[in-house]
Each structure stands twice: as structure tokens, then as C-alpha cells.
């Protein structure tokens, strides 16, 4: 399996969580799964006991030879190897956005992500060849890995990967990886192949298109999103080609890491609790209020929000009128400056009600799940969404917009659902939750139903395994 992020080794969002947890479930089901990840400069080599496993591999870039080396760690707590591709392309701290490198005594944006990840894909294939691991299946995730179906057909690769099938999982159609045709030379792709020809008709190469049309099977991360992406509204311009793949397109709901996300065992939270000791949860709220500098009051509902701050997530729906709700809000994340600024402004104006935590903070995230009564996910679209499931495991009641995986995981028995993408609709839904919070008995019953829901990977991993088996006829 190839991915640009693998939690906890390198994470930005849900993609990393999936690539870090689905493999464990597949391993449990008997798959010999191994992962490939770029060796980012931010990876803690001591903590993950990273070791070199293979010397230099050679990858041609624009026809010129370039070296990389292969290192290895294990997915923490497992025997699942994670191969790390080391090259100057990844020596930076960031996972995305290219990296600045020193040139003529100045930092310049030398590498863009399309080139970096093209390199990653080529190098990953060289790495498994060098290690001698011939996969039956290569499982790809999002555009960063989407050229692989094409790359394994190249003259250097086609013999080794003769019997290898590919499966491409779409985590988010909003990021497609679109670039100019010069990437073909960069990545040694055959401009004459039918797939490249179709893709480049408009003068662009779209990595997402390569994955969708090139892979033997295509999946996405919830049944509802699988349907939505075949429509113009959510298809992001690719609805036609997705429809073409309709027979090989599967919507498989993500799971969450139920060992990590367990309020009874979570080492990052103040007070552990379970279904049986739910009364103890309130200690986490009081702790969180204190930590954030909000008034400490066990009766006032705490509303949590954790996300990448991007257009998709509906942050623009939240405004000053929400101060009219009798609750406190905490927002955690980073992303587009305008969203960071608008939330900071709210926190400044209403310091006793809003807290804007503009950072990536894994501990605070857990403290928010544990300390929140209500958790909001007002997304424009949401391929799956993991935070609503985690929130429910922690007894925080979700308020979600009915879209994608949110529609598949939250209904009125466990949360509050709104349809229209408007501030008003979100406001009304939160108000319902805030009012509902007063009815202790009903609220408790709702929390309990959410906590009892099964969000483990087991059944979804079986679905992936079924596709693997179908593709390899065994
Ligand atoms: C992306 C999507 C999110 C999904 C995650 C994992 O981050 O935006 O909805 O849960 O990928 O598949």
C-alpha cells in the first residue's frame, strides 16, 4: 500500500489515519501487507527505530539518474513493515506544498508536490523490486500514488509486476493533482499510451484521472460519497469517468482505530471513562475549559470542532451570531489563513465562548473529544469523515450535515443532522443539540447509542480483501 501519510508516523488528516489503521485490520485477516511512505524530514527516526534496508536505488528524472535509499520501520505496535523512501525531495518538514531547498544561497520552491510524489511512486516500485517483494495487489490512495497503474506497465517494470493488480482509493476528489504534460518526461511515462492520450487531450495531466481509469478497481470511502461523485454536483468534473468505472467502483466505509480511540484506555486524556462510567466524562470538560481559559462550568455544553481548515469543512458557516447559543466552542486545526483569522477574530470578540486553537496538536484533539458534549461537522461535502465516529466513541454527540460519509454514520438516533448548507441550518441544528443537552435522560440515551456503534475496521477490511481476491482470482 502506498500513501502520502501514515498515522502516527506522518499525518495531516484522515488519509493518514486510514493508511495507518486499515493495514492492521488487513494483516489480522491474513494479508502480508507492507507500506511505502516518503521519508519526510519530520519523521522521528529514533522513536520509530528507522533502519536502512536497501542501498541505493536509481530513478530516472527527465532522463537523468537520481538516487534514493530505502529505509524501514514498522507500523507502531505491529509487524507491518513501512518502507521509507529517502531522497532530498522529502528532506523537508512538510508533507505537502513542496519544499524549499537551498539554491545559490537562497531558499527557493524548487520541487512541487506533483514531482515529489511522482518520484515517490517510481522509487516505491524500485524499492519493492530491490527488496524482492512481489505484491499481488498494490493499493493506492489519492492522487499522490495514482500513476502507479501506468508506471507498472513501463518496460522496466512490466516483467516484475506482470501479475500485480492495482486498486485505487479516492479519499477526496477535491485534490486531483493536475499538472502540465512535462510531468510525463519527468516520470518516464509513455506519452503514446491510450490512457495518457485520453488524459492529456486538454493539455493537462490529471493524476486522479490516471488512478480512476488506470486501476483494476476503484474504491471510495463511503457508500453515499460513491454515489455522489457520479453526479455533477460532487463529481468535481470527473463524474463522467467515474460513471464509466461504475461497475468497478465500490463505496467502503472507513473504520477508525478502536484501540487508539478508546476513552477507557486513552493515555492523552485527563479522566478515563467508559459506557459504564460516563458520569466521569465531565471531569474532562472542566479540565478542557480550564486549559482553554473558558469559564469552568459543568452545565454549559461544550461544542468541539477539529479539522483541516479548508473550504470543504464549512468553517465559513460559523459567525458571530453563534454567540447567541448557550454553549462554548473550541476549534482546533490549521489551514487556510482566512479561516484561521475568522475563528481567531471570534475568539477575540467572545473570549468566554469561543476558543480558537490554531495548531496541529494530537493531545488537545483527544482532550476535545473527551471534553465535548457536542461535536460539529458542517461540511460542504465529506467523503467519509472520521471525527464524527471518534466523537461518538467518546460520548460527544455529533451535529453533521447530511452528506457523504456523515450521512452514512450519523442519524437522529445518535446525533443531529441538517441538510441545507447555510449558517442558519447549522445554527438551528446546534440549538437543537444545546436544548437537547438539558434533558439528561434522553441525552444519555443518545450518547450511549453512539458509543455502542461499531466503527471498527473489521467488516470494511473484509470488503477490501474480497476485492483483492476478486482481482487476483483467489
Ligand atoms: C479525506 C476526506 C475525509 C476522509 C479521509 C479518509 O481526508 O476529506 O472525509 O474521512 O480522507 O478517507
Amino acid at each position: 500500500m502506498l500513501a502520502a501519510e501514515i498515522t502516527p508516523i506522518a499525518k495531516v488528516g484522515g488519509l493518514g489515519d486510514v493508511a495507518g489503521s486499515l493495514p492492521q485490520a488487513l494483516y489480522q485477516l491474513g494479508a502480508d501487507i507492507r507500506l511505502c511512505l516518503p521519508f519526510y524530514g519530520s519523521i522521528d527516526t529514533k522513536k520509530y527505530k528507522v533502519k536502512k534496508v536497501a542501498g541505493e536505488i536509481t530513478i530516472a528524472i527527465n532522463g537523468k539518474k537520481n538516487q534514493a535509499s530505502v529505509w524501514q520501520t514498522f507500523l507502531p505496535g505491529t509487524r507491518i513493515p513501512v518502507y521509507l523512501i529517502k531522497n532530498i525531495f522529502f528532506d523537508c518538514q512538510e508533507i505537502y506544498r513542496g519544499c524549499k531547498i537551498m539554491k545559490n544561497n537562497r531558499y527557493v520552491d524548487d520541487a512541487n508536490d506533483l514531482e515529489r510524489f511522482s518520484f515517490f511512486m517510481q522509487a516505491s516500485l524500485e524499492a519493492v523490486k530491490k527488496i524482492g517483494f512481489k505484491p499481488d495487489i498494490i493499493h493506492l490512495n489519492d492522487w499522490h500514488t495514482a500513476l502507479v497503474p501506468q508506471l507498472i506497465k513501463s518496460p522496466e517494470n512490466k516483467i516484475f509486476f506482470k501479475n500485480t493488480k492495482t486498486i485505487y482509493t479516492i479519499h477526496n476528489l477535491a485534490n486531483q493533482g493536475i499538472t502540465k504534460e512535462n510531468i510525463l518526461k519527468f516520470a518516464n511515462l509513455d506519452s503514446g499510451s491510450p490512457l495518457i492520450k485520453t488524459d492529456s487531450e486538454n493539455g493537462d495531466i490529471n493524476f486522479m484521472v490516471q488512478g480512476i481509469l488506470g486501476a483494476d478497481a476503484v474504491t471510495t470511502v463511503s457508500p453515499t460519497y460513491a454515489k455522489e461523485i457520479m453526479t455533477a454536483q460532487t463529481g468535481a468534473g470527473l463524474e463522467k469517468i467515474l460513471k464509466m468505472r461504475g461497475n468497478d467502483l465500490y463505496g467502503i466505509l472507513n473504520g477508525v482505530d478502536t484501540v487508539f480511540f478508546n476513552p477507557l484506555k486513552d493515555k492523552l486524556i485527563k479522566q478515563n471513562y467508559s459506557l459504564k462510567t460516563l458520569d466521569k466524562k465531565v471531569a474532562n470538560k472542566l479540565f478542557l475549559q480550564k486549559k482553554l481559559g473558558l469559564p469552568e462550568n459543568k452545565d454549559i455544553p461544550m461544542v468541539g470542532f477539529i479539522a483541516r481548515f479548508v473550504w470543504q469543512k464549512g468553517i465559513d458557516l460559523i459567525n458571530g451570531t453563534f454567540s447567541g447559543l448557550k454553549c462554548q466552542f473550541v476549534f482546533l486545526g490549521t489551514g487556510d489563513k482566512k479561516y484561521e483569522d475568522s475563528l481567531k477574530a471570534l475568539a477575540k470578540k467572545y473570549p468566554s465562548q469561543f476558543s480558537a486553537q490554531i495548531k496541529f496538536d494530537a493531545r488537545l484533539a483527544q482532550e476535545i473529544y473527551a471534553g465535548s458534549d457536542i461535536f460539529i461537522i458542517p461540511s460542504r461535502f465529506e467523503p467519509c469523515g472520521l471525527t464524527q465516529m471518534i466523537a461518538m466513541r467518546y460520548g460527544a454527540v455529533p451535529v453533521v450535515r447530511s452528506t457523504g460519509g456523515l450521512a452514512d454514520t450519523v442519524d437522529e438516533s445518535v446525533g443531529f443532522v441538517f441538510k441545507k448548507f447555510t449558517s442558519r441550518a447549522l445554527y438551528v441544528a446546534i440549538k437543537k443539540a444545546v436544548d437537547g443537552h438539558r434533558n439528561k435522560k434522553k441525552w444519555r440515551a443518545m450518547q450511549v447509542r453512539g458509543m455502542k456503534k461499531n466503527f471498527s475496521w473489521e467488516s470494511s477490511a473484509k470488503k477490501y480483501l474480497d476485492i483483492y481476491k476478486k482481482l487476483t482470482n483467489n
Side-chain angles (χ1 to χ4, degrees), residues 352-365:
S352 63
Q353 259 189 301
F354 293 89
S355 172
Q357 300 295 317
I358 312 297
K359 56 186 169 179
F360 187 95
D361 185 335
R363 174 184 290 272
L364 183 56

Side-chain angles (χ1 to χ4, degrees), residues 49 57 99 163 193 262 284 313 319 321 368 371 455:
K49 300 194 179 71
I57 49 174
C99 45
N163 296 319
S193 91
N262 177 359
N284 292 299
K313 298 291 179 181
N319 56 42
T321 64
I368 292 175
F455 294 122

Side-chain angles (χ1 to χ4, degrees), residues 173-174 176 206 229 231-239:
L173 215 51
Q176 300 186 359
N206 182 327
I229 57 178
T231 67
Q233 203 192 352
T234 315
L238 302 186
E239 58 277 6

Side-chain angles (χ1 to χ4, degrees), residues 240-259:
K240 286 209 182 93
I241 65 160
L242 283 159
K243 255 198 195 154
M244 275 164 59
R245 296 297 322 253
N247 286 337
D248 314 303
L249 173 65
Y250 306 82
I252 303 177
L253 193 68
N254 284 334
V256 295
D257 183 337
T258 49
V259 175

Side-chain angles (χ1 to χ4, degrees), residues 14-15 18 171-172 221 254 308 312-313 382-386:
L15 168 63
V18 171
H171 293 265
N172 200 329
V221 290
N254 284 334
R308 292 172 290 116
Q312 168 190 349
K313 298 291 179 181
E382 195 59 75
C384 178
L386 302 174

